[in-house]
Amino acid sequence: MELTVNGVRHDVISPPLTTLLNVLREELYVTSPKAGCEQGGCGACTVHVDGRPRRACLLPLAAVEGAEITTVEGLSEGEELSTVQAAFHEHYAAQCGFCTSGFVMAAEALVNAEPAHPVGRDEIIEALSGHVCRCTGYAKILDAVAAASRGEGSVDNEPAFASTGGEPEGGAPTKGAPA
Amino acid sequence: MGGSPIGAAEVIVAASRGEAIDAFGDGAGVTVVAGGTIVMPDITHRRRDAERVVLIGNAGMSGISSEGGRTVIGAATTLADLSDAVEPLGTCARRVADIEIREQATIGGNLCAPPGVESPRGDLQAALLVLDAQIRSAGAGGERTDPVEDVLAADGSRLVLDISIAEPEAAATATVRRPHAHAYTVMRVCAARVDGEVRIAVSGAAPRAVRLKACEAAAAGGADAATTAERALEDVTPSDDALASGWYRAKVLPVLVRDALTQLG
């Protein structure tokens, strides 16, 4: 079967009832979608199918043949993070990161929905309500998605804190960097 | 734990309603997958034999139309597409899970949901009961139409093609929900007045939705909402599951019946 993932067409050999999640992770080594509950309840496996967020653990391969699959790996242009990705970074919206891929894909669909419109907190909660996070308590995730919906990603993708050891990239040391 | 390996299954992706009917045949050994939100975990985790699997999600079996004063809904119509459906179906559809699930789950799958073990399934069944749903299906003996009560009582060996529902004069719901980001339904009473008659059903009190006929008889006899509600437990004995105990459900069901009937007016 043929599967287009992040713009790349693959010839896939997994059996037709294999879940899209397992095809992505086990056959194609696209590992951003995570195997959480594996029954559609947690949202860690969410990817885009023809631009809409879907649970990859609930989709048999045969049902998505010919579709365009997008994962987190396909969001950034080289090293340029998407607005949602940058906002998640800027607002510290991830801790262990297991749920983050799913949340990011859900947020991308919301933030990029047509027609573009400012998104209130209730609408964000509704759109993300299928996603479970055990670490963050959700507050920073909601902040990040609200910021992204206002077009507020990080301006230059410079890290907020210096890297450990050696000179920070980009020259001038930031606050608290080793001398 | 049975279940054949996923690789051994014969998988047919139906591209039309006719192909779906042919592939289904008499249904022996066939698993139908529409949205897959209920069936796929059972297949993936080998709780269900996957000998011959027919995928009908792209077989042109979705869509909503009008026929002779009734609304006809294709079996593969997603719950998201039913958000604005006639009440109480619209409320039931909007309150299932989250948007990602609702854009994939179908009304046919919801109707055919095997009884839940740990929690209720088939949130739309009570709405279909009060809207006098007629189910067109294919299978052994060819196509036929059955009332939804018969389909819910049967063993699920037919392919649901479409569902037609009445236009009610009034409709109401009363729900117990469990708090969550998308507060999900523990138990819901649906009520509707169709052709002057009050119909009442409950989902989440039993493995499948149940019509509360004793309540309907009381209402038809002119009893008020509170008096009618006292008969709620004559047609169902609620059971325990992970969401609520049978005892709790039995306490709450008459309250929901009273509330729904009061709203119905």
Side-chain angles (χ1 to χ4, degrees):
Chain A
M1 291 204 172
E2 267 190 15
L3 198 61
T4 300
V5 181
N6 298 323
V8 176
R9 199 178 297 174
H10 299 269
D11 283 314
V12 167
I13 64 167
S14 295
L17 283 185
T18 313
T19 65
L20 175 60
L21 177 66
N22 283 339
V23 172
L24 288 170
R25 291 183 55 83
E26 307 293 335
E27 185 175 349
L28 299 179
Y29 303 114
V30 175
T31 55
S32 70
K34 300 292 182 273
C37 72
E38 293 187 87
Q39 54 186 347
C42 76
C45 70
T46 293
V47 299
H48 285 188
V49 178
D50 292 332
R52 291 304 298 161
R54 292 282 180 273
R55 306 289 217 273
C57 74
L58 294 178
L59 287 167
L61 172 62
V64 294
E65 189 178 21
E68 300 267 345
I69 311 297
T70 312
T71 70
V72 167
E73 289 87 344
L75 292 180
S76 46
E77 296 287 326
E79 294 189 0
E80 182 83 25
L81 298 179
S82 75
T83 304
V84 167
Q85 288 176 303
F88 268 63
H89 169 75
E90 195 69 19
H91 289 268
Y92 192 49
Q95 289 183 25
C96 81
F98 197 82
C99 72
T100 305
S101 165
F103 267 107
V104 165
M105 297 314 293
E108 287 279 344
L110 175 67
V111 163
N112 297 319
E114 301 284 339
H117 62 285
V119 179
R121 187 179 177 87
D122 283 350
E123 189 177 351
I124 295 173
I125 290 173
E126 177 72 25
L128 271 43
S129 67
H131 294 261
V132 176
C133 173
R134 306 310 286 145
C135 295
T136 68
Y138 302 100
K140 306 301 286 174
I141 295 173
L142 298 179
D143 288 350
V145 178
S149 79
R150 295 188 298 266
E152 295 165 17
S154 182
V155 171
D156 55 11
N157 291 334
E158 283 286 326
F161 303 98
S163 55
T164 55
E167 287 289 325
E169 287 181 6
T174 54
K175 202 188 303 187
Chain B
M1 191 154 356
S4 39
I6 282 174
E10 179 189 5
V11 178
I12 298 146
V13 181
S16 70
R17 178 173 158 133
E19 279 188 28
I21 293 171
D22 287 343
F24 184 81
D26 65 4
V30 174
T31 300
V32 176
V33 176
T37 55
I38 292 175
V39 174
M40 277 306 294
D42 283 350
I43 291 177
T44 300
H45 302 295
R46 307 205 18 201
R47 291 187 291 260
R48 171 192 285 261
D49 273 327
E51 292 172 33
R52 185 179 168 85
V53 178
V54 179
L55 304 187
I56 65 166
N58 286 316
M61 289 170 65
S62 57
I64 304 168
S65 59
S66 282
E67 256 175 52
R70 294 174 69 88
T71 304
V72 181
I73 305 168
T77 305
T78 66
L79 302 191
D81 286 343
L82 290 168
S83 294
D84 299 319
V86 64
E87 287 298 315
L89 185 61
T91 291
C92 293
R94 284 194 301 274
R95 294 306 190 187
V96 172
D98 60 277
I99 187 64
E100 293 170 27
I101 296 290
R102 289 195 297 273
E103 288 187 5
Q104 191 172 332
T106 66
I107 184 170
N110 199 280
L111 170 64
C112 297
V117 174
E118 284 149 3
S119 61
R121 285 170 165 168
D123 289 16
L124 273 54
Q125 293 170 2
L128 295 179
L129 281 168
V130 303
L131 291 173
D132 184 37
Q134 302 294 319
I135 315 297
R136 189 145 62 196
S137 68
E143 283 187 37
R144 66 171 199 242
T145 300
D146 298 293
V148 62
E149 287 96 322
D150 292 359
V151 173
L152 287 174
D155 62 359
S157 60
R158 298 189 63 78
L159 172 67
V160 175
L161 299 174
D162 55 54
I163 297 162
S164 82
I165 53 176
E167 181 77 36
E169 289 120 43
T173 62
T175 310
V176 168
R177 302 170 76 196
R178 197 171 210 204
H180 195 274
H182 56 268
Y184 51 89
T185 304
V186 175
M187 187 166 64
R188 175 185 291 122
V189 166
C190 290
R193 186 173 296 111
V194 175
D195 293 333
E197 286 187 359
V198 171
R199 301 168 72 105
I200 312 165
V202 59
S203 65
R208 286 199 152 130
V210 175
R211 214 166 137 190
L212 300 177
K213 294 192 171 156
C215 291
E216 291 181 358
D224 65 13
T227 310
T228 302
E230 289 169 13
R231 304 192 62 181
L233 293 170
E234 290 182 34
D235 289 288
V236 63
T237 303
S239 43
D240 296 341
D241 67 17
L243 294 190
S245 64
W247 173 88
Y248 176 77
R249 287 182 156 103
K251 289 288 180 188
V252 173
L253 177 58
V255 178
L256 298 183
V257 170
R258 187 198 68 209
D259 286 354
L261 289 174
T262 303
Q263 284 177 60
L264 196 66

